[in-house]
Amino acid sequence: MSIKEHVKSMVKSVILLDKRRNRINMCNRAKLRNMEMSILSSNCAGGVMSHDLGLPFRSQFVNLALRPKDFVKYLHDLDYYNSMDVIFPADVEPCWGGGQYPVGRVGDVTIHFVHYTTPEEAREKWNERKQRLNRENMFIIMSERDGCTKEDLLAFDHLPYPNKVVFTKQPYSDIECAYYLKGFENDAYVGVALAYENLFSARRLYDRFPYVDWFNGDYIVRNPAYKETDGI
């Protein structure tokens, strides 16, 4: 096969996968009944879910990332942190993916605006989307990666929000809101939730999780490996 033929074949494959993804998205959009929820995510997974479902961004946690410890801290005192302005200190350097992007702080929480170009753009979108937050209809997503520790998982599990899930690399028996994504048991962290399963798949890793049913209230996150312990 010549280089030209190979390129044509690759382009056809990309177009085919894009069509398959669009079909998945259309099916999910047709199933979705809860059109007003806010998705709060420690990384880009929540924003991509919203995009796939054709929804507006009703949360400031879009196109950015937080370390799990900072994400849990922010959620633990959501009203307090939401009342504060985001600032962009000159002494904070990007450390996510090796690129250059604005790094902000809200109080003592660091936010990596990995898909923004300038602090001004990041601040504008942060404030604009924060105003859309639907406190009565929130769904919270975290992943066991980006420095996530067992203590972070436990702290997330104990947050006072009914609709939360953390994607994990193993079936923890003491994390009630864990959703185990198989295939990463020997890795340091679970895979990137928005990544495709493989080069030939139109399914994202998070498609293993019934998120549309969850948003609709038809699925409750209840880790089958969870064993309730006295005193917790």
Side-chain angles (χ1 to χ4, degrees), residues 93-107:
E93 294 291 331
C95 63
W96 218 285
Q100 291 296 313
Y101 56 81
V103 181
R105 281 208 182 114
V106 177

Side-chain angles (χ1 to χ4, degrees), residues 2-166:
S2 68
I3 294 177
K4 186 176 181 179
E5 290 171 333
H6 180 71
V7 170
K8 283 185 177 179
S9 176
M10 292 293 292
V11 169
K12 287 182 180 178
S13 296
V14 170
I15 292 173
L16 180 60
L17 289 176
D18 189 56
K19 288 181 178 179
R20 289 176 180 170
R21 184 68 216 177
N22 285 338
R23 283 199 292 270
I24 291 172
N25 291 342
M26 291 302 103
C27 288
N28 285 334
R29 291 179 187 186
K31 285 177 54 181
L32 184 67
R33 301 190 305 274
N34 182 5
M35 311 299 290
E36 303 297 327
M37 79 281 194
S38 290
I39 305 174
L40 290 73
S41 178
S42 62
N43 52 44
C44 296
V48 175
M49 279 185 184
S50 294
H51 181 269
D52 280 354
L53 292 171
L55 298 174
F57 298 133
R58 295 192 183 90
S59 159
Q60 65 268 41
F61 295 94
V62 176
N63 291 334
L64 52 79
L66 294 84
R67 298 293 183 192
K69 194 176 300 297
D70 278 337
F71 188 58
V72 170
K73 185 188 294 184
Y74 197 110
L75 292 173
H76 188 266
D77 210 343
L78 185 60
D79 288 333
Y80 168 72
Y81 286 108
N82 274 351
S83 71
M84 304 178 73
D85 292 329
V86 58
I87 62 173
F88 293 88
D91 62 336
V92 183
E93 294 291 331
C95 63
W96 218 285
Q100 291 296 313
Y101 56 81
V103 181
R105 281 208 182 114
V106 177
D108 55 352
V109 170
T110 300
I111 303 167
H112 298 265
F113 291 89
V114 292
H115 296 295
Y116 295 90
T117 304
T118 66
E120 292 76 19
E121 178 195 16
R123 181 184 290 110
E124 177 185 356
K125 291 300 183 182
W126 175 267
N127 291 331
E128 174 187 317
R129 292 164 179 162
K130 184 169 65 172
Q131 297 305 313
R132 302 178 192 157
L133 188 66
N134 187 347
R135 287 295 304 268
E136 305 305 315
N137 194 354
M138 297 195 309
F139 290 79
I140 303 171
I141 302 170
M142 193 171 85
S143 293
E144 187 188 5
R145 56 179 300 109
D146 306 320
C148 186
T149 66
K150 184 62 178 295
E151 289 73 22
D152 297 332
L153 293 175
L154 289 167
F156 181 79
D157 197 44
H158 293 156
L159 287 171
Y161 301 105
N163 299 314
K164 60 182 182 290
V165 65
V166 57

